[in-house]
Amino acid sequence: MTTAAIIVAAGRGTRAGEGLPKQWRLLAGQPVVSHALQAFAGHLRVLVIHPGDRARAEGLPAELVVEGGATRQDSVRAALEALAGRGVTRVLIHDGARPLVSPALIARVLGALDSASGAAPALAVTDALWTGASGQVTGTRDRTGLYRAQTPQGFRYDAILAAHRAHGGGAADDVEVARQMGLDVAMVEGEETNLKLTFAGDFARAEALMAKGTRAMDVRMGNGYDVHAFCEGDHVWLAGVRIPHGRGLLGHSDADVAMHALTDAIYGALSEGDIGRHFPPSDPQWKGADSAIFLAHAMGLARARGFDLGNCDVTIVCERPKIGPHAGAMQARLAEIMGVDATRVSVKATTSERLGFTGREEGIAALATAVLLS
Ligand SMILES: Nc1ccn([C@@H]2O[C@H](COP(=O)(O)OP(=O)(O)OP(=O)(O)O)[C@@H](O)[C@H]2O)c(=O)n1
Ligand SMILES: C[C@](O)(CO)[C@H](O)COP(=O)(O)O
């Protein structure tokens, strides 16, 4: 299942006043939209920009950059069209001007999408509602059943693309577009901290929230250890990299001992047992399997629970093959599978000074530690 995250950032931010459009101003040292993009790491991120902002978008963490249109709705439509034919099944549509969206909120929307064609966060209106004119209160309104809509708004991709194509324009958000097409949209609990930067004064509030951390951070740590024996062969797979070697490694899957240790560390951090629980060695379908499947599954479980990888550290114990020349490629491959920046991944190696089974070159061992943050 491929989930795309569309981050709309093609507006001009006129209500926020003079200067750079709000999504390009700095918040905690980074452009506002960069915070929003980072929150969706691991998904196929589409950044929608104004045609004049190409240079500003360079180097931002987005897999696709698309030019938006005159309205928010046009911008979303441009991104949905750009995703056609890419195998996307679900899409999360988020304002680039909401930099404080949390992993837990994203997980709630995705969770609700499992049983609905649309899902979006909202907060019940808690203040009294008035009408007013010329600085005077002119009336009151019943607030029962009224909600403030937030993003990300999540949908089945085909359904929301069809809804946008059929819509005549003028919708405030994608829930309105979806509902006009008869799609059901489930509501999940929004967050006060998930504010949309709209007026100049909102920046100070967002900066303060960032400085103190918007919520208690949940930190989980796990470790993993694995061993595979050498057998006949001409290569080994280690941390997703194929290394020519005079022997192979024995295992039900591709016997990637380093990837298995890391996968177990993530399962450990989630109290989810180990690879054997999720991919039993007795099941023939995993014979010769690419261990990337296991690592991607563990990270998928983590994200479904609102966690992302803080960092991980893998140590491979062997006399040979020499790991140093391959460590960079291993780091890059593990990061790619987990959908994180390579700076969060460390791969190193040690010999055991010719002692024990690794010293006698009977097999390879690997240890890993992973920290998950929510
Ligand atoms: N043509 C547009 C208009 C808006 N947006 C994006 O939609 C989000 C929510 O819109 P809003 O807060 O209204 O942003 P602006 O339109 O930029 O603000 P303003 O109305 O003050 O000009 C923002 O991330 C904005 O960049 C967009 O991608 N394309
Ligand atoms: C989509 C939205 O963020 C939902 O609250 C909002 O409608 C977009 O901002 P705007 O100020 O209405 O353009």
PDB file of all heavy atoms in Angstrom, residues 23 46 56 118 126 136 153 170 182 185 192 202 224 233 254 275 305 312 321 331 337 349 371:
ATOM      1  N   GLN A  23       4.840  30.213   4.345  1.00  0.00           N
ATOM      2  CA  GLN A  23       5.404  28.845   4.370  1.00  0.00           C
ATOM      3  C   GLN A  23       6.918  28.824   4.177  1.00  0.00           C
ATOM      4  O   GLN A  23       7.560  27.815   4.431  1.00  0.00           O
ATOM      5  CB  GLN A  23       4.714  27.944   3.334  1.00  0.00           C
ATOM      6  CG  GLN A  23       4.897  28.340   1.868  1.00  0.00           C
ATOM      7  CD  GLN A  23       3.865  29.356   1.424  1.00  0.00           C
ATOM      8  OE1 GLN A  23       3.403  30.173   2.205  1.00  0.00           O
ATOM      9  NE2 GLN A  23       3.521  29.327   0.146  1.00  0.00           N
ATOM     10  N   VAL A  46       4.681  14.866  -1.865  1.00  0.00           N
ATOM     11  CA  VAL A  46       4.541  15.767  -3.016  1.00  0.00           C
ATOM     12  C   VAL A  46       4.428  17.179  -2.465  1.00  0.00           C
ATOM     13  O   VAL A  46       3.501  17.487  -1.711  1.00  0.00           O
ATOM     14  CB  VAL A  46       3.257  15.449  -3.819  1.00  0.00           C
ATOM     15  CG1 VAL A  46       3.214  16.301  -5.085  1.00  0.00           C
ATOM     16  CG2 VAL A  46       3.173  13.976  -4.146  1.00  0.00           C
ATOM     17  N   ARG A  56      13.417  28.207  -3.924  1.00  0.00           N
ATOM     18  CA  ARG A  56      13.234  28.040  -2.472  1.00  0.00           C
ATOM     19  C   ARG A  56      13.010  26.576  -2.103  1.00  0.00           C
ATOM     20  O   ARG A  56      13.315  26.153  -0.990  1.00  0.00           O
ATOM     21  CB  ARG A  56      12.020  28.837  -1.988  1.00  0.00           C
ATOM     22  CG  ARG A  56      12.219  30.316  -2.091  1.00  0.00           C
ATOM     23  CD  ARG A  56      11.126  31.067  -1.359  1.00  0.00           C
ATOM     24  NE  ARG A  56      11.415  32.469  -1.435  1.00  0.00           N
ATOM     25  CZ  ARG A  56      10.652  33.375  -2.042  1.00  0.00           C
ATOM     26  NH1 ARG A  56       9.517  33.013  -2.593  1.00  0.00           N
ATOM     27  NH2 ARG A  56      11.009  34.631  -2.094  1.00  0.00           N
ATOM     28  N   GLY A 118     -12.706   8.381   3.599  1.00  0.00           N
ATOM     29  CA  GLY A 118     -12.031   9.619   3.954  1.00  0.00           C
ATOM     30  C   GLY A 118     -11.942   9.746   5.464  1.00  0.00           C
ATOM     31  O   GLY A 118     -12.777   9.189   6.183  1.00  0.00           O
ATOM     32  N   THR A 126     -15.433  25.137  21.184  1.00  0.00           N
ATOM     33  CA  THR A 126     -15.681  25.217  22.629  1.00  0.00           C
ATOM     34  C   THR A 126     -16.079  26.629  23.068  1.00  0.00           C
ATOM     35  O   THR A 126     -16.620  26.811  24.154  1.00  0.00           O
ATOM     36  CB  THR A 126     -14.417  24.793  23.416  1.00  0.00           C
ATOM     37  OG1 THR A 126     -13.312  25.530  22.909  1.00  0.00           O
ATOM     38  CG2 THR A 126     -14.156  23.306  23.273  1.00  0.00           C
ATOM     39  N   GLN A 136     -19.938  45.451  17.080  1.00  0.00           N
ATOM     40  CA  GLN A 136     -21.021  45.138  18.031  1.00  0.00           C
ATOM     41  C   GLN A 136     -21.461  43.688  17.870  1.00  0.00           C
ATOM     42  O   GLN A 136     -21.496  43.163  16.750  1.00  0.00           O
ATOM     43  CB  GLN A 136     -22.249  46.024  17.713  1.00  0.00           C
ATOM     44  CG  GLN A 136     -22.035  47.499  17.874  1.00  0.00           C
ATOM     45  CD  GLN A 136     -21.922  47.900  19.344  1.00  0.00           C
ATOM     46  OE1 GLN A 136     -22.732  47.499  20.168  1.00  0.00           O
ATOM     47  NE2 GLN A 136     -20.895  48.682  19.665  1.00  0.00           N
ATOM     48  N   GLN A 153      -5.960  15.693   5.746  1.00  0.00           N
ATOM     49  CA  GLN A 153      -7.208  15.031   5.410  1.00  0.00           C
ATOM     50  C   GLN A 153      -6.848  13.866   4.494  1.00  0.00           C
ATOM     51  O   GLN A 153      -6.149  14.044   3.495  1.00  0.00           O
ATOM     52  CB  GLN A 153      -8.152  16.041   4.737  1.00  0.00           C
ATOM     53  CG  GLN A 153      -8.458  17.201   5.710  1.00  0.00           C
ATOM     54  CD  GLN A 153      -9.374  18.282   5.169  1.00  0.00           C
ATOM     55  OE1 GLN A 153      -9.721  18.281   3.979  1.00  0.00           O
ATOM     56  NE2 GLN A 153      -9.768  19.202   6.034  1.00  0.00           N
ATOM     57  N   GLY A 170     -14.280  26.144  -5.611  1.00  0.00           N
ATOM     58  CA  GLY A 170     -14.814  26.945  -4.515  1.00  0.00           C
ATOM     59  C   GLY A 170     -14.917  26.227  -3.185  1.00  0.00           C
ATOM     60  O   GLY A 170     -15.514  26.755  -2.245  1.00  0.00           O
ATOM     61  N   GLY A 182     -20.333  12.407  -2.411  1.00  0.00           N
ATOM     62  CA  GLY A 182     -21.007  11.344  -1.660  1.00  0.00           C
ATOM     63  C   GLY A 182     -20.077  10.457  -0.855  1.00  0.00           C
ATOM     64  O   GLY A 182     -20.491   9.399  -0.366  1.00  0.00           O
ATOM     65  N   VAL A 185     -16.786  10.662   5.278  1.00  0.00           N
ATOM     66  CA  VAL A 185     -15.532  11.126   5.888  1.00  0.00           C
ATOM     67  C   VAL A 185     -15.638  10.964   7.409  1.00  0.00           C
ATOM     68  O   VAL A 185     -16.519  11.559   8.036  1.00  0.00           O
ATOM     69  CB  VAL A 185     -15.227  12.593   5.525  1.00  0.00           C
ATOM     70  CG1 VAL A 185     -13.904  13.026   6.155  1.00  0.00           C
ATOM     71  CG2 VAL A 185     -15.181  12.782   4.012  1.00  0.00           C
ATOM     72  N   GLU A 192      -4.870  21.006  19.258  1.00  0.00           N
ATOM     73  CA  GLU A 192      -4.771  22.474  19.329  1.00  0.00           C
ATOM     74  C   GLU A 192      -3.429  22.946  18.790  1.00  0.00           C
ATOM     75  O   GLU A 192      -3.318  24.027  18.217  1.00  0.00           O
ATOM     76  CB  GLU A 192      -4.936  22.961  20.783  1.00  0.00           C
ATOM     77  CG  GLU A 192      -6.366  22.920  21.297  1.00  0.00           C
ATOM     78  CD  GLU A 192      -7.306  23.897  20.582  1.00  0.00           C
ATOM     79  OE1 GLU A 192      -6.830  24.756  19.823  1.00  0.00           O
ATOM     80  OE2 GLU A 192      -8.526  23.760  20.778  1.00  0.00           O
ATOM     81  N   ASP A 202       0.561  34.475  14.633  1.00  0.00           N
ATOM     82  CA  ASP A 202       0.595  33.020  14.816  1.00  0.00           C
ATOM     83  C   ASP A 202       2.026  32.496  14.885  1.00  0.00           C
ATOM     84  O   ASP A 202       2.274  31.409  15.428  1.00  0.00           O
ATOM     85  CB  ASP A 202      -0.135  32.317  13.666  1.00  0.00           C
ATOM     86  CG  ASP A 202      -1.626  32.639  13.652  1.00  0.00           C
ATOM     87  OD1 ASP A 202      -2.159  32.977  14.719  1.00  0.00           O
ATOM     88  OD2 ASP A 202      -2.229  32.567  12.568  1.00  0.00           O
ATOM     89  N   GLY A 224      18.572  -5.669  19.140  1.00  0.00           N
ATOM     90  CA  GLY A 224      18.431  -6.913  18.378  1.00  0.00           C
ATOM     91  C   GLY A 224      19.785  -7.580  18.242  1.00  0.00           C
ATOM     92  O   GLY A 224      20.821  -6.898  18.218  1.00  0.00           O
ATOM     93  N   GLY A 233      28.972 -20.932  -0.934  1.00  0.00           N
ATOM     94  CA  GLY A 233      28.389 -19.790  -1.639  1.00  0.00           C
ATOM     95  C   GLY A 233      29.458 -18.828  -2.122  1.00  0.00           C
ATOM     96  O   GLY A 233      30.661 -19.019  -1.840  1.00  0.00           O
ATOM     97  N   ASP A 254      17.153 -14.410   2.948  1.00  0.00           N
ATOM     98  CA  ASP A 254      18.465 -14.137   2.346  1.00  0.00           C
ATOM     99  C   ASP A 254      19.586 -14.106   3.385  1.00  0.00           C
ATOM    100  O   ASP A 254      20.735 -13.804   3.069  1.00  0.00           O
ATOM    101  CB  ASP A 254      18.421 -12.824   1.538  1.00  0.00           C
ATOM    102  CG  ASP A 254      18.090 -11.614   2.422  1.00  0.00           C
ATOM    103  OD1 ASP A 254      18.055 -11.768   3.667  1.00  0.00           O
ATOM    104  OD2 ASP A 254      17.852 -10.526   1.879  1.00  0.00           O
ATOM    105  N   ILE A 275      11.389 -11.134  14.483  1.00  0.00           N
ATOM    106  CA  ILE A 275      11.006 -11.450  13.098  1.00  0.00           C
ATOM    107  C   ILE A 275      10.228 -12.763  13.023  1.00  0.00           C
ATOM    108  O   ILE A 275       9.250 -12.878  12.293  1.00  0.00           O
ATOM    109  CB  ILE A 275      12.260 -11.570  12.193  1.00  0.00           C
ATOM    110  CG1 ILE A 275      12.987 -10.244  12.116  1.00  0.00           C
ATOM    111  CG2 ILE A 275      11.867 -12.024  10.792  1.00  0.00           C
ATOM    112  CD1 ILE A 275      14.225 -10.273  11.236  1.00  0.00           C
ATOM    113  N   ARG A 305       1.735   3.266  14.694  1.00  0.00           N
ATOM    114  CA  ARG A 305       1.507   3.622  16.106  1.00  0.00           C
ATOM    115  C   ARG A 305       1.987   5.032  16.432  1.00  0.00           C
ATOM    116  O   ARG A 305       2.128   5.391  17.602  1.00  0.00           O
ATOM    117  CB  ARG A 305       2.235   2.616  16.995  1.00  0.00           C
ATOM    118  CG  ARG A 305       1.581   1.274  16.853  1.00  0.00           C
ATOM    119  CD  ARG A 305       2.168   0.293  17.768  1.00  0.00           C
ATOM    120  NE  ARG A 305       1.641  -0.996  17.412  1.00  0.00           N
ATOM    121  CZ  ARG A 305       2.011  -2.107  17.972  1.00  0.00           C
ATOM    122  NH1 ARG A 305       2.909  -2.089  18.935  1.00  0.00           N
ATOM    123  NH2 ARG A 305       1.501  -3.249  17.595  1.00  0.00           N
ATOM    124  N   CYS A 312      19.385   4.675  14.672  1.00  0.00           N
ATOM    125  CA  CYS A 312      19.715   3.275  14.917  1.00  0.00           C
ATOM    126  C   CYS A 312      21.206   3.078  14.695  1.00  0.00           C
ATOM    127  O   CYS A 312      21.857   3.859  13.983  1.00  0.00           O
ATOM    128  CB  CYS A 312      18.904   2.341  14.019  1.00  0.00           C
ATOM    129  SG  CYS A 312      19.285   2.503  12.278  1.00  0.00           S
ATOM    130  N   PRO A 321      33.753 -10.802   5.365  1.00  0.00           N
ATOM    131  CA  PRO A 321      34.363  -9.774   4.527  1.00  0.00           C
ATOM    132  C   PRO A 321      34.598  -8.473   5.294  1.00  0.00           C
ATOM    133  O   PRO A 321      33.991  -8.255   6.344  1.00  0.00           O
ATOM    134  CB  PRO A 321      33.321  -9.554   3.427  1.00  0.00           C
ATOM    135  CG  PRO A 321      32.031  -9.916   4.077  1.00  0.00           C
ATOM    136  CD  PRO A 321      32.338 -11.028   5.023  1.00  0.00           C
ATOM    137  N   GLN A 331      24.459   1.957   4.956  1.00  0.00           N
ATOM    138  CA  GLN A 331      23.749   3.039   5.653  1.00  0.00           C
ATOM    139  C   GLN A 331      22.652   3.609   4.731  1.00  0.00           C
ATOM    140  O   GLN A 331      21.503   3.777   5.150  1.00  0.00           O
ATOM    141  CB  GLN A 331      24.778   4.103   5.982  1.00  0.00           C
ATOM    142  CG  GLN A 331      24.336   5.176   6.916  1.00  0.00           C
ATOM    143  CD  GLN A 331      25.454   6.213   7.109  1.00  0.00           C
ATOM    144  OE1 GLN A 331      26.574   6.071   6.582  1.00  0.00           O
ATOM    145  NE2 GLN A 331      25.155   7.234   7.852  1.00  0.00           N
ATOM    146  N   ILE A 337      15.138   1.901   2.949  1.00  0.00           N
ATOM    147  CA  ILE A 337      14.064   0.953   3.307  1.00  0.00           C
ATOM    148  C   ILE A 337      13.196   1.529   4.429  1.00  0.00           C
ATOM    149  O   ILE A 337      11.977   1.384   4.428  1.00  0.00           O
ATOM    150  CB  ILE A 337      14.670  -0.400   3.754  1.00  0.00           C
ATOM    151  CG1 ILE A 337      15.439  -1.051   2.601  1.00  0.00           C
ATOM    152  CG2 ILE A 337      13.582  -1.343   4.265  1.00  0.00           C
ATOM    153  CD1 ILE A 337      16.344  -2.185   3.040  1.00  0.00           C
ATOM    154  N   ALA A 349      31.541  -2.009  12.195  1.00  0.00           N
ATOM    155  CA  ALA A 349      31.895  -3.431  12.309  1.00  0.00           C
ATOM    156  C   ALA A 349      33.073  -3.604  13.247  1.00  0.00           C
ATOM    157  O   ALA A 349      33.818  -2.658  13.525  1.00  0.00           O
ATOM    158  CB  ALA A 349      32.247  -3.981  10.930  1.00  0.00           C
ATOM    159  N   VAL A 371      16.107   3.553  18.336  1.00  0.00           N
ATOM    160  CA  VAL A 371      15.309   4.435  19.183  1.00  0.00           C
ATOM    161  C   VAL A 371      14.144   4.951  18.340  1.00  0.00           C
ATOM    162  O   VAL A 371      14.347   5.439  17.227  1.00  0.00           O
ATOM    163  CB  VAL A 371      16.157   5.616  19.702  1.00  0.00           C
ATOM    164  CG1 VAL A 371      15.277   6.625  20.432  1.00  0.00           C
ATOM    165  CG2 VAL A 371      17.256   5.108  20.619  1.00  0.00           C
TER     166      VAL A 371
END
